Amino acid sequence: RAFSAIAVVTPTMVGVRERAGEGAERAWSAAVSGDYFDVLGTRAVHGRTFRPEEEGRAAPVAVLSHQYWTRRFGADPGIVGRRLAINGQSYDVIGVMPNRFGGSYVGLDFDLYLLVTTLPTIVGRQVEDRGSMFLEGIARLKPGVSLADAARDMERVGRELDLVYPDLANTAVVTPLDGQGAPSTMKPIFGALLVVTGLVLLIACANVANLLLARATGRTKEFGLRMALGAGRARLIRQLLVESGVLALGGGLVGIWLALLGRGALFRLVPPVPFPVALDFVMNGRVVAFALVLSAAAVMIFGLWPALRASRPDLVAVLKALPTGSRGRAGVRTALVAGQMALAVVSLVTAGLFLRAIERSRRIDPGFRDPATLLLLGTDLNMAGLNDSTGRETIDRLLARIRSAPGVLAAAAGTYVPLGWSCCSTARSTIEGYAPEPDENMSIVYSRVSDGYFETMGIPVLAGRGITAADQAGSTPVVVVNEAFVKRYWAGRDPIGRKIRQGGRDHTVVGLVRDGRYRSLTEPAFPLVYRALDQSYDQAPVIHVRVAANPTALIATLRAEFLAVNPDLSLLDPRTMRQHMQQSTIGQEIGSRTLTVFGGVALFLAGIGIYGVMAYLVGQRTREIGVRVALGAASSSVAGMVLRDGLRITVIGAAIGGVAALGAGRLLQGLLLGVSPADPVTFALVSVLLVAVVAAACLVPARRAARIDPVIALKAD
């Protein structure tokens, strides 16, 4: 009742061939219902999208994405009506979607769209199987209906379905589309990057403001003469703002150019994943306008202040060539540098916290042995035209050949690789000896694994046994459970021999294995059931290979084993388990690297700022220093005085920045993998680095002060 339209979608990997005799090329498709594009409100730019009657008769038609049409077919305008072979089945191309259309999976780039009712033909998945739960719904709210109203409506539907299908999980979660996929994952990271970039901009603007103040001090006589000759204050301010505007506009244009050159750098931070990730960083008119507006704001904030101060010279002092007061301006410049130091501390501490989070992630026990020597090899049996029976036999022969390859210690197959982006499968379960609460969700995560899986992964079997070669199709269905399952449902009782019902079949528990980390390194273990792969077929298992040395050196050898088993069997997305695990810490990886760069730039700019202020102060105190030296002050004492002044500014700025950094750390605590926002190691290292940079920045002004000749200083105006 809450929705005006509902569609479904599920990602599916397929093999596409245009002409007979050529090898199939892997493509990522989205299998959708016939009204999918109508729900999204999108039309094809060439041809058309699906019609409702085509869904009912499972018509073999395909709609291409604009990117795939351009990349694979050279943007051929005659593509509509052409025939493609998809997993060996003939399909007609009926349309091409607009450029930049990504569907409802934000952050993924699908190549083509098929009707969901054709899945039984191309991948062997039965759409009518209510227990599979592989389809994702997408709906458009009716006018005036809120998300809360829609959630209550779906709860009602679930209760009604419970009466008809009591063995299934008849529940739904209603969430807005813009909170799904890449935006929900990357928003905190990009938010942190935007904040730190803003801090670097503020530091740079503070430096420019200091330079403009110094320049205005040097032009005091010029401004005094102009005003004495009749120039108004507004005219002077306008001239100085124009000068600042030219500087800011030039910087903004250079920044846009650098952004164009460097936007691809973020793509290189994305770890290898078996999905069509599409993080599209577009340099459009809005981005350029934002940069130019920001440049104009920098002029108004940091150019107007020096202009206002410079436009109020002491005319009497200027015309009589008397020295003008500069203590107030020195105080302003000192405050600006202290602010720069505070901002640099925030940038560096944030970067340090992310680096510590990455370091900690490498020390967290994932629940399996040495991910660096475990190689993951994807495949898809449907792309090779294999059905259930031939697919099982193919996997058995493939594992036998891989296990006998030189350098291989063990090999097995599994469908759920932990600590990645892939979604785990769930099934409504009935557990012997456990009575669920009335509203308890009994959908439990499961994985399909072959014999030797636990030995290959290095997951300890705590009781009973693992999955063996004897657990074939047709034999008694068996499962292995983890510790979290036993704690949750059997309260420490012996699980061996108990029954679990999933997918309409009873499974006997034959083993108990140790818990691991599944979705993330910080999330506690949840109940997990391991089924025997031969008893619960899957067309796209991941081959796990434990090797003695460098895993990537064996990829060519293992690819040959794939071809020897079946020339059409593809080896997809080879990667080590260590690389795969980077998916679970991609936010920390991107944050640590980019924030480290920005933090370094911030510290460099702050160092320049303190150097400029100390050099300015030494110049202003030349006479005073000359008097001190003439009265017997040692050179080391003069140099120490300058260093103390620099460190005093640093301590003030660092104290303010430390408090702000604690607040920033608390905002990012969910991404820090258990590292405290007040991590003492990070703050200590940043303090040492800050002192070193400040000492280096003050060194030249201190040496210059120590070498002042008192005779020359006392003769100076």
Side-chain angles (χ1 to χ4, degrees), residues 446-581:
Y446 70 90
S447 177
R448 305 175 177 101
V449 301
S450 72
D451 62 292
Y453 174 81
F454 300 109
E455 294 79 5
T456 302
M457 289 287 289
I459 300 175
V461 178
L462 305 178
R465 64 174 178 86
I467 302 298
T468 68
D471 300 317
Q472 298 289 325
S475 61
T476 302
V478 299
V479 293
V480 174
V481 297
N482 67 345
E483 294 174 283
F485 188 100
V486 175
K487 292 175 184 176
R488 176 69 181 82
Y489 299 110
W490 286 321
R493 289 173 286 174
D494 184 9
I496 307 302
R498 294 182 180 272
K499 304 290 185 182
I500 300 173
R501 186 171 182 80
Q502 281 188 345
R505 294 197 300 172
D506 288 329
H507 299 75
T508 302
V509 177
V510 296
L512 170 67
V513 296
R514 180 188 169 195
D515 283 340
R517 308 283 181 165
Y518 303 123
R519 289 195 184 97
S520 75
L521 289 168
T522 56
E523 184 181 31
F526 49 76
L528 179 61
V529 173
Y530 297 93
R531 296 183 191 174
L533 181 61
D534 273 336
Q535 297 175 344
S536 183
Y537 176 75
D538 187 271
Q539 82 280 358
V542 177
I543 308 300
H544 299 58
V545 184
R546 178 71 64 183
V547 301
N550 181 13
T552 55
L554 283 178
I555 292 177
T557 300
L558 298 177
R559 193 182 301 277
E561 299 295 348
F562 272 69
L563 297 176
V565 171
N566 188 319
D568 295 325
L569 192 62
S570 300
L571 189 161
L572 305 172
D573 308 305
R575 61 200 184 280
T576 66
M577 188 67 181
R578 176 69 72 190
Q579 291 172 324
H580 173 83
M581 289 170 61

Side-chain angles (χ1 to χ4, degrees), residues 5 118 153 155-156 244 257 294 390 487 515 658:
T118 64
D153 190 34
E155 289 174 4
R156 174 190 59 81
S244 302
W257 176 67
L294 206 59
T390 56
K487 292 175 184 176
D515 283 340

